[in-house]
């Protein structure tokens, strides 16, 4: 899943981070695996926007067999407060 802006009765708030779901097929069933990246895991030292919260969109994960590790990439935006 992606981090997102949540509209509530008291205004806008932002999710805690990116959640992970797994399935053996695209048709499901899907299992919630937990939070894999939180707001504090994002460091924006090289970006023009440095203030949190951030919005993570369209995260993708693949397994790199050669390195034996998972790789995640995503689109990052600054939240509009």
């Amino acid at each position: 899943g992606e981090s997102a802006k949540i509209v509530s009765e008291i205004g806008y708030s932002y999710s805690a981070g990116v959640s992970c779901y797994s399935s053996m097929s695209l048709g499901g069933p899907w299992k919630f695996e937990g939070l894999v990246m939180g707001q504090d895991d994002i460091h924006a030292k090289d970006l023009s926007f440095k203030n949190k919260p951030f919005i993570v969109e369209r995260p993708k994960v693949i397994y790199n067999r050669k390195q034996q590790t998972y790789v995640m990439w995503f689109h990052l935006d600054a939240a509009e407060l």
Side-chain angles (χ1 to χ4, degrees), residues 9-81:
E9 294 176 6
I10 59 171
Y12 292 112
S13 64
Y14 295 86
S15 65
V18 177
S19 298
C20 179
Y21 297 84
S22 66
S23 175
M24 295 302 288
S25 74
L26 288 175
W30 290 89
K31 177 184 173 192
F32 175 67
E33 299 289 351
L35 191 67
V36 295
M37 185 174 63
Q39 286 286 333
D40 292 336
D41 297 320
I42 302 170
H43 304 281
K45 65 181 181 178
D46 297 329
L47 301 175
S48 61
F49 51 91
K50 298 180 185 340
N51 297 328
K52 293 181 182 179
F54 298 112
I55 298 175
V56 175
E57 297 176 333
R58 301 179 300 281
K60 293 157 185 71
V61 177
I62 60 170
Y63 183 71
N64 181 325
R65 283 188 212 151
K66 185 175 181 180
Q67 299 294 324
Q68 297 182 335
T69 188
Y70 289 91
V71 179
M72 176 188 285
W73 70 97
F74 50 85
H75 175 86
L76 182 68
D77 276 331
E80 297 175 17
L81 299 176

